[in-house]
Amino acid sequence: MKKKVLSGILVSAMILSLAACGSEPAGGGTSGTAGGGSTAADSGGTSGAAGDGSTAGGSGGASDGAGDSGSASGLEPVTLTMYFGGCDSVTDDTQAMEAVNAYLQEKINVTLEPIWGSWSDLDQNISLSLQGGDNVDIYFTCAWSSNEYNKFARDGYWVRLDNEGNNLIEKYASDLWSTLPEVLRQGAAIEGADGYGVYAVPGYKDIATQNCWDINVPLLEKYGYTVEDIKNTDYYGFGEILETVKKGEGDDFYPLLVEGAVLERMVTNSIIVTGDSGTGNFMSYYLDPDDVSRPGSLGVKLVNKFSTDEFLKFAEQTRKYFNAGYIDPACANTEQANDIRTQKQLSGQYLIGTQSYSLGYELVASDERKFEVAMVPCTDAYVDTTSSQGAMMAISTVSKNPERAMMFLNLLNTDPKLMTMLNYGVEGVHYNLKDGLVEFTEERAQYQPWTNGMGNVTILPPTVAQGADFWDGFKAYYGQAKEIPLLGYSYNSENMQTQMGTVANVVAEYLLPLCTGAVEPADKLPEFLDKLEQAGINEVLSDANAQLEAFMQAKGE
């Protein structure tokens, strides 16, 4: 029952998949998020014990009203196909899906056929599947990859869920909607093909962005350093530590494990601008690292980040680290980067890495990698448009059963038993419960979907590593995250499609080599900037800033 790709179109490798924020090897948060993907649960759960069948948000009644999904009585059998992302580590779903489908048939008479898409599918095969009209009912979508929520909504690929003539949320998913924080409900409302409204269900996960240094603690301490030494310096001060560990571990050891696009954002305090993700994030807003709620050094303005002093300084330092042998050349290879990063994280063959963070991920990573992992933040957590649209589930306009698809999404996001089975597998096979906490078995290695891509992770039971009070801390942590000044802004590039496509091709040629230090900035950066100007980048920025100015005026700022 495991499917990988539906579309028969041949896929050429796309470098831009490495610029997105969601490819997180071995699993952290979203946004900023680009990086590979074997993740165990990025986030744990709540007190709804797996296996008890209870539902959150009051759902669990009959299926005839306001989103209740408690009985299959009177419903015709339906098969739904759903395209997940980031699920490279699902190699055997047989037992899990048998349990999931037995439960779904009992509840809403649905059989789920999952497509366990990889991280690269987020930028490649999902887009091809949509464009090819594949028979898929539900897709993962987001604001940080080429599988872009806003663009695909405008292009007519997603069903509007709150359409006045057929409000699927009111009919089938009011329970789900009431469980979501306001920032997620607001973030889901966009301009689409059927007017302004909601075109996907946002996942209740880490709802703020935070990028961190991923630290191999035992290796750091082996050479007489502590995590405090990392906290007390920055990227430009890592040299002594990297040199010491490189000398001690040998020529074939690369202490700095980077994902180029994420590394650049971490060092320069730039962000992904929603609506720009398909072009390698060439435009940026710069944060104030001391207070993300205030305008950054360049004000509330979008710029070509590759032309800034901040980028030049970053690229020059990264080149120094590359030449010193601190960065693996494979990190600059689009065919190898994600796999190498995942492999080296799991085996501990690194000292300092880049990570888009979800609260508690250091606990998950430590358990998964079998050594202590620490996370050192570059900024406070902040809420931006990209993070509020960080992981979503959209119903395709191709779907023959949008009503049942909405019922399924309601059940998945409100029923702890279903969410736990789909994420963690079968109790007694993939995990055991120990005093209400999840303890994974060896079989879990064969079934590790990307938890943060599943929906409302707060109804999962917490893991042993997380502890019983994990979700109280989770909600408090993200509840106090600050909003950046341009929260809610999303660039609409429909008047700049030619320029955006041309710019994307240029960015694809230069982004990864520059952001991993594989090329000399003095040689390549001027050439890059010249090609960007010829491609029309200034026209795009002028259009984007005009939209931003109008947005900020309407917002009253």
Side-chain angles (χ1 to χ4, degrees), residues 388-554:
S388 69
Q389 298 175 357
M392 312 181 81
M393 298 179 183
I395 299 174
S396 170
T397 49
V398 171
S399 175
K400 298 179 178 64
N401 296 287
E403 292 82 6
R404 199 73 63 88
M406 190 79 256
M407 292 173 65
F408 164 74
L409 291 176
N410 180 72
L411 189 65
L412 176 63
N413 285 274
T414 59
D415 188 324
K417 182 174 181 178
L418 177 59
M419 179 62 77
T420 302
M421 284 191 292
L422 196 55
N423 274 280
Y424 291 165
V426 179
E427 182 180 357
V429 177
H430 302 97
Y431 71 93
N432 294 308
L433 283 177
K434 183 178 180 181
D435 297 325
L437 303 177
V438 169
E439 188 170 54
F440 293 113
T441 68
E442 292 184 0
E443 293 298 316
R444 168 68 171 169
Q446 309 302 315
Y447 185 75
Q448 294 187 62
W450 178 37
T451 294
N452 270 0
M454 288 284 188
N456 181 7
V457 299
T458 70
I459 60 174
L460 287 166
T463 66
V464 169
Q466 291 165 339
D469 297 329
F470 176 78
W471 281 107
D472 292 336
F474 178 96
K475 292 176 180 177
Y477 180 80
Y478 287 112
Q480 66 185 8
K482 294 181 177 179
E483 299 180 358
I484 68 168
L486 44 62
L487 174 65
Y489 173 77
S490 175
Y491 176 51
N492 183 348
S493 62
E494 62 184 1
N495 294 326
M496 291 283 154
Q497 288 300 300
T498 300
Q499 294 90 331
M500 289 289 280
T502 309
V503 169
N505 291 333
V506 176
V507 172
E509 181 180 353
Y510 290 92
L511 173 70
L512 191 60
L514 281 167
C515 289
T516 54
V519 296
E520 183 60 57
D523 296 332
K524 292 299 181 179
L525 188 54
E527 181 182 304
F528 182 23
L529 294 175
D530 182 60
K531 287 187 178 181
L532 286 174
E533 286 199 20
Q534 293 179 38
I537 192 171
N538 292 331
E539 296 172 57
V540 176
L541 287 167
S542 178
D543 186 50
N545 277 304
Q547 291 183 29
L548 177 58
E549 183 177 348
F551 172 82
M552 297 302 290
Q553 288 177 351

Side-chain angles (χ1 to χ4, degrees), residues 235 238-247 255-256 321 326 351-352:
Y235 182 64
F238 285 167
E240 177 194 322
I241 299 174
L242 296 173
E243 180 182 12
T244 300
V245 177
K246 174 74 175 182
K247 286 181 178 178
L256 193 56
Y321 286 158
Y326 303 156
L351 177 68
I352 302 171

Side-chain angles (χ1 to χ4, degrees), residues 193-247:
D194 290 328
Y196 187 81
V198 175
Y199 289 81
V201 172
Y204 188 1
K205 48 174 235 14
D206 51 323
I207 58 177
T209 297
Q210 188 169 41
N211 293 317
C212 294
W213 299 115
D214 173 340
I215 311 300
N216 182 337
V217 176
L219 186 60
L220 184 70
E221 294 178 344
K222 175 181 175 180
Y223 290 92
Y225 298 102
T226 68
V227 173
E228 289 302 312
D229 292 315
I230 304 298
K231 292 179 179 179
N232 292 331
T233 188
D234 61 14
Y235 182 64
Y236 300 99
F238 285 167
E240 177 194 322
I241 299 174
L242 296 173
E243 180 182 12
T244 300
V245 177
K246 174 74 175 182
K247 286 181 178 178

Side-chain angles (χ1 to χ4, degrees), residues 65-68 161-164 166-175 177 406:
D68 293 337
L161 305 180
D162 61 347
N163 198 308
E164 291 182 6
N166 185 24
N167 193 319
L168 297 178
I169 293 174
E170 285 187 357
K171 289 181 177 179
Y172 306 109
S174 61
D175 291 331
W177 210 242
M406 190 79 256

Side-chain angles (χ1 to χ4, degrees), residues 58-79:
S59 63
S63 60
D64 59 349
D68 293 337
S69 306
S71 171
S73 176
L75 295 173
E76 293 294 322
V78 164
T79 296

